[in-house]
Structure formats: structure tokens, C-alpha cells
Amino acid sequence: ASASQTFVAAQARSTAVLAIPAGATITYARIYWAGELAGMMSTDPNVRIERPGSLLDATRTADSQYFINRGGGTWYQSTAEITDLLQTHGSGAYRVSDIGSLDLNGLNSNDPMVGWVVVVFYALATDPPRNLALFDGLDLVPAGGATEVAINGFVVPNAGFDAKLGVVAYEGEAQYTGDALSFNATVLSNAVNPANNFFNSS
């Protein structure tokens, strides 16, 4: 691996490892990719997914896209279902590239972000029954302000069960504090995401 200013956005790539428990069956998978583009109302409709050491080298086209105008440019998020790819290739390393981005070489700004994430649902007979829900969207949390998102149909019994909430958030800096995430007025935090700097580039 190497870093060079001669690389363009289409050549930049990163790898993550998917680990599914033994005996589990993947039932649903979706990839999200996001970045900042120089044009207004711009999105990137395609992403490249590879499996190092295998024949997997596929381009997927978004079935949903979101954008937020930002000054003279746009923050965007695109998404596509990839259940078939993960069911075929299972656990292991996946490499993603060709994510649209403005040129970051020499750019001095807190605004740009580029990234991707895959959400995977799986079934495992030895696990207890669970209700899984996935909510899509792209909402801006303005500086000094707040954004509220309603999650409908997500019900947890008052006793005997717990719930887990995962959030995909894009933030390019960790040094500024004051950002928080709350659910039903309860501020959330953990060892990686403190209450006063929840979205800290992690």
C-alpha cells in the first residue's frame, strides 16, 4: 500500500473483513458509500467491490441516493443491495473503490468525508429470536443545532428484552466537541464515543 498525490479518487480503495459466525446464513446485505462532490445536487451512482484473491470484481449501481447541498458542493450517500455477493463469497476481506469525491490533494477543509459501510443481517439457529430493522436516509446536523429523526415501528418490550441501536454517521474531524446522540432524551455513549463528542470520526 502507498499514499501518493498522483492517485485520483477512482483509484483510492480500502479493505474491511466480514466475519459471520460459523453456521450462520446471510439473509440481507446492503452497502453504503458517501463523499463530498464539488457540484450541487451531485451523487455517485456506482461503486466497485472486490474480493482479494478471488474472481469477485463487481460494480454495483445505487438503488437509492441522498444528497445535502453544502456551499458550492454536495454531501451525498448512495446505497445498493449486495445480498447475493455476500451469500456467494461469505466471510473474508472485501475491497471497495471508485467512490466519487472532490480532489482532496492540498485541500484545507473540515467538510470533506469519504467512506463506505456494509450492513449485514444473518440468521443463526442457536441465537435467540430478534427483530431487525434498517432505516435509510441522510440528515444534516447543523453546527450549534440539532436534528431529530423519528424511528417508527421499532418497539422494545418494557422488561425482559434489550435493544441495540447502530448509527452510521459521517464526520471528518475529532477535535471539536459538543456533538451528541440521544434516544428518547437519553444521551448515549460508550468507550469509543464519549457523550460530548459522539461523532468523533470513529
Side-chain angles (χ1 to χ4, degrees):
S2 60
S4 170
Q5 292 189 356
T6 62
F7 293 149
V8 298
Q11 296 171 304
R13 59 190 185 180
S14 60
T15 302
V17 177
L18 173 66
I20 298 296
T25 301
I26 294 173
T27 58
Y28 186 79
R30 178 166 285 277
I31 186 171
Y32 298 83
W33 63 100
E36 182 180 4
L37 294 172
M40 297 289 282
M41 297 185 294
S42 299
T43 59
D44 176 15
N46 299 305
V47 69
R48 182 181 179 189
I49 305 168
E50 300 171 85
R51 179 71 183 267
S54 80
L55 297 177
L56 174 58
D57 187 349
T59 297
R60 282 296 161 101
T61 299
D63 51 39
S64 294
Q65 298 183 81
Y66 310 89
F67 65 86
I68 298 171
N69 290 327
R70 176 69 175 175
T74 303
W75 285 322
Y76 76 88
Q77 175 183 264
S78 300
T79 180
E81 185 179 348
I82 57 169
T83 306
D84 59 328
L85 294 182
L86 270 59
Q87 286 176 336
T88 299
H89 296 277
S91 295
Y94 289 86
R95 187 164 57 206
V96 174
S97 61
D98 197 16
I99 297 177
S101 171
L102 49 74
D103 188 0
L104 302 179
N105 290 326
L107 182 64
N108 182 15
S109 172
N110 288 324
D111 289 345
M113 54 84 176
V114 182
W116 61 276
V117 64
V118 174
V119 176
V120 181
F121 290 176
Y122 64 84
L124 184 59
T126 55
D127 276 359
R130 293 187 176 96
N131 176 48
L132 304 177
L134 180 61
F135 300 91
D136 282 350
L138 181 64
D139 295 284
L140 174 67
V141 180
T147 297
E148 184 174 304
V149 176
I151 301 177
N152 298 313
F154 186 71
V155 180
V156 180
N158 290 330
F161 297 89
D162 65 354
K164 291 179 171 59
L165 173 67
V167 178
V168 176
Y170 306 105
E171 186 187 51
E173 51 77 18
Q175 66 269 32
Y176 298 121
T177 61
D179 48 280
L181 175 67
S182 61
F183 185 81
N184 283 350
T186 299
V187 177
L188 306 181
S189 66
N190 59 26
V192 177
N193 307 94
N196 70 336
N197 193 11
F198 193 90
F199 303 111
N200 56 7
S201 297
S202 63

